[in-house]
């Protein structure tokens, strides 16, 4: 009750700040108002997913703390959604904050964006990798960025078979299977795997937000993958929907001689450096080619060449970096549309260092009619075999 009361009080205070003084502001005051542009970034903590966190740090380093406002969601974001909302409202409390980028947009993000809209309808809102109903999130923000989860339901089995797999093990847990896109992708993956001759195994892993936490979930992967290899053989591809479990998945798969076509968030940085003991020197930070070279060398040393693959760019990091550049140009008046696909694609391609294509998400309403979410972009990039 205290938290709810606090949020209500904070919201009322913000309303006074942004609307209560409006009647006394003259045109001269408006002309002399601060033109400083600030951009808020909210990511997971390092424990949940390091990539987004490091991308935000990179933007802070590039533009400075006086331009980039950086906060994280709580580790246990499912139980602390009030904290996520309060942190988002703290961004909105700064009148110079013109945009907010949240990646990953974990459960609770939609409510947080809604609260920001109530007090600051002028702020540009960008959500990356949403964990809630796509239609609901799309209505709360200006732009949604996500990997093309549904298309991956086909591309992952195809890539796994290309790498020599005969079995595909899909690890997840009930919380993730409550995410519409993740559940639909699993269903598509099962159908596609069976269509191309792969045995599909639907496996349940511990939730990192459960009683055993991240360490327990990671230990499960280290222990269960060898069991699955013993049961199904070395030509088994392993996939897990959770970021925190990618390192142990890669390590255990390599040690047991299995296959890993793609991580949950495909990127050379996601799981591979930690799993393979790769130390990235300061002068190589952000050098994707260097990281890929190190990964290939480490895999080769353990006979893993040709058994692993990923996307050639860190896609969630790209979402944050491109989001900042897009938001900055919009806030500075270089273009006026909140949802400008052409400019967005330019920013994504520039941040990734390669051409990126995207399609918009099509959903079905309660009447069974197709609805195109023209601000919900699905990104898909071809694989690099390691």
């Amino acid at each position: 009750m205290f938290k709810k009361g606090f949020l209500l009080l904070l919201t009322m205070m913000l309303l006074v700040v942004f609307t209560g003084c409006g009647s006394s502001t003259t045109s001269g005051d408006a002309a002399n108002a601060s033109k400083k542009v600030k951009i808020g970034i909210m990511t997971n903590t390092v424990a949940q997913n390091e990539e987004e966190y490091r991308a935000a740090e990179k933007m802070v380093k590039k533009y400075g703390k006086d331009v980039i406002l950086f906060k994280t969601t709580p580790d246990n974001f499912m139980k602390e959604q009030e904290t996520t909302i309060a942190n988002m409202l703290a961004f909105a409390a700064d009148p110079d904050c013109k945009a907010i980028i949240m990646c990953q947009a974990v459960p609770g993000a939609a409510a947080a964006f809604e609260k920001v809209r109530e007090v600051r309808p002028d702020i540009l809102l960008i959500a990356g990798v949403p964990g809630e109903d796509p239609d609901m999130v799309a209505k709360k923000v200006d732009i949604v960025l996500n990997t093309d989860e549904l298309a991956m339901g086909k591309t992952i089995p195809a890539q796994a078979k290309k790498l020599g797999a005969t079995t595909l093990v899909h690890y997840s847990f009930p919380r993730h299977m409550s995410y519409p896109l993740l559940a639909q992708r699993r269903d598509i993956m099962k159908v596609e795997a069976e269509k191309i001759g792969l045995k599909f195994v639907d496996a349940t892993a511990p939730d990192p937000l459960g009683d055993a936490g991240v360490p327990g979930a990671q230990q499960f992967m280290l222990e269960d993958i060898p069991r699955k290899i013993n049961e199904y053989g070395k030509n088994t591809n392993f996939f897990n929907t959770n970021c925190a479990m990618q390192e142990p998945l890669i390590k255990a798969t390599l040690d047991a001689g299995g296959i890993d076509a793609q991580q949950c968030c495909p990127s050379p940085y996601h799981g591979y450096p930690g799993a393979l003991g790769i130390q990235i020197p300061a002068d190589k930070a952000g050098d994707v080619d260097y990281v890929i070279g190190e990964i290939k060398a480490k895999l080769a040393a353990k006979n893993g060449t040709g058994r692993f693959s990923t996307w050639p760019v860190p896609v969630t990091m790209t979402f944050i970096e491109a989001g900042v550049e897009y938001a900055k140009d919009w806030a500075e008046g270089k273009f006026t549309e909140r949802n400008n696909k052409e400019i967005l694609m330019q920013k994504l391609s520039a941040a990734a260092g390669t051409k990126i294509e995207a399609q918009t998400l099509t959903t079905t309403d309660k009447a069974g009619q197709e609805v195109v979410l023209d601000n919900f972009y699905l990104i898909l990039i071809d694989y690099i075999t390691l």
Side-chain angles (χ1 to χ4, degrees):
M1 290 297 294
F2 172 77
K3 288 182 177 179
K4 291 181 179 178
F6 167 74
L7 288 173
L8 179 60
L9 177 61
L10 179 57
T11 301
M12 292 175 65
M13 291 172 66
L14 289 167
L15 284 169
V16 170
V17 170
F18 296 114
T19 64
C21 298
S23 60
S24 62
T25 301
T26 66
S27 59
D29 292 332
N32 294 323
S34 171
K35 293 183 179 180
K36 189 176 187 63
V37 169
K38 295 182 182 179
I39 297 169
I41 303 177
M42 186 175 290
T43 73
N44 300 85
T45 62
V46 171
Q48 286 292 332
N49 193 5
E50 187 172 352
E51 284 197 7
E52 291 94 359
Y53 187 93
R54 298 305 178 198
E57 282 190 328
K58 181 179 177 180
M59 293 295 97
V60 171
K61 183 177 180 180
K62 181 175 181 178
Y63 289 112
K65 293 182 179 179
D66 58 334
V67 173
I68 303 298
L69 311 175
F70 179 27
K71 292 182 181 292
T72 60
T73 50
D75 275 332
N76 197 347
F77 49 80
M78 291 297 292
K79 294 183 179 179
E80 299 181 45
Q81 294 186 15
E82 296 92 345
T83 302
T84 299
I85 295 172
N87 285 344
M88 195 77 85
L89 285 171
F91 285 146
D94 188 333
D96 290 329
C97 184
K98 306 301 182 185
I100 298 173
I101 300 151
M102 186 178 185
C103 185
Q104 298 179 17
V106 298
F113 283 126
E114 184 176 28
K115 290 293 183 183
V116 170
R117 277 279 191 250
E118 290 175 2
V119 297
R120 291 287 307 279
D122 60 301
I123 288 183
L124 181 76
L125 301 177
I126 300 176
V129 193
E132 297 171 290
D133 179 70
D135 183 66
M136 178 176 67
V137 176
K139 290 177 180 177
K140 307 295 183 185
V141 303
D142 298 296
I143 290 173
V144 187
L145 297 170
N146 202 18
T147 50
D148 197 337
E149 304 288 0
L150 300 184
M152 286 181 193
K154 294 185 177 181
T155 60
I156 291 172
Q159 180 67 6
K161 184 169 185 178
K162 182 179 178 182
L163 298 182
T166 55
T167 301
L168 194 160
V169 177
H170 179 283
Y171 286 107
S172 194
F173 38 85
R175 177 171 61 84
H176 265 193
M177 289 298 92
S178 72
Y179 295 7
L181 287 179
L182 299 190
Q184 291 175 50
R185 180 184 63 190
R186 187 271 314 273
D187 294 342
I188 294 170
M189 195 181 297
K190 182 178 187 297
V191 172
E192 189 66 21
E194 293 172 350
K195 187 193 327 188
I196 64 176
L198 297 181
K199 179 179 179 61
F200 183 85
V201 179
D202 197 358
T204 299
D207 189 333
L209 298 186
D211 294 338
V214 172
Q218 292 176 332
Q219 186 61 34
F220 171 83
M221 296 305 299
L222 292 172
E223 295 173 356
D224 196 64
I225 285 175
R227 289 194 291 262
K228 292 289 193 293
I229 290 286
N230 287 336
E231 183 175 359
Y232 300 113
K234 291 188 176 182
N235 289 333
T236 300
N237 183 93
F238 296 96
F239 178 80
N240 189 307
T241 64
N242 180 258
C243 294
M245 287 192 260
Q246 299 308 303
E247 281 191 19
L249 185 152
I250 292 168
K251 184 179 188 305
T253 300
L254 178 61
D255 290 344
I259 296 170
D260 182 5
Q262 181 196 304
Q263 318 98 304
C264 59
C265 302
S267 159
Y269 290 97
H270 195 39
Y272 278 106
L276 303 178
I278 297 171
Q279 300 294 324
I280 304 174
D283 64 328
K284 297 295 184 180
D287 188 335
V288 178
D289 290 337
Y290 170 82
V291 174
I292 291 174
E294 289 294 295
I295 292 171
K296 287 182 175 180
K298 294 285 186 179
L299 293 176
K302 288 194 173 185
N303 299 315
T305 299
R307 308 276 283 179
F308 293 77
S309 58
T310 188
W311 286 7
V313 295
V315 68
T316 54
M317 297 177 77
T318 298
F319 289 167
I320 290 174
E321 294 173 25
V324 167
E325 302 300 340
Y326 180 93
K328 188 171 182 292
D329 282 1
W330 176 84
E332 292 174 351
K334 295 180 180 178
F335 62 97
T336 59
E337 307 94 335
R338 288 172 176 260
N339 176 21
N340 186 312
K341 182 177 180 179
E342 182 180 356
I343 295 176
L344 180 64
M345 290 303 104
Q346 291 173 2
K347 298 299 184 184
L348 286 167
S349 295
T354 186
K355 185 174 177 59
I356 287 182
E357 298 291 344
Q359 64 175 334
T360 50
L361 178 63
T362 300
T363 62
T364 304
D365 63 18
K366 293 180 180 179
Q369 299 296 314
E370 286 192 347
V371 177
V372 177
L373 304 180
D374 63 359
N375 67 332
F376 198 117
Y377 295 96
L378 301 173
I379 307 299
L380 196 64
I381 304 173
D382 199 7
Y383 291 101
I384 177 174
T385 300
L386 301 167

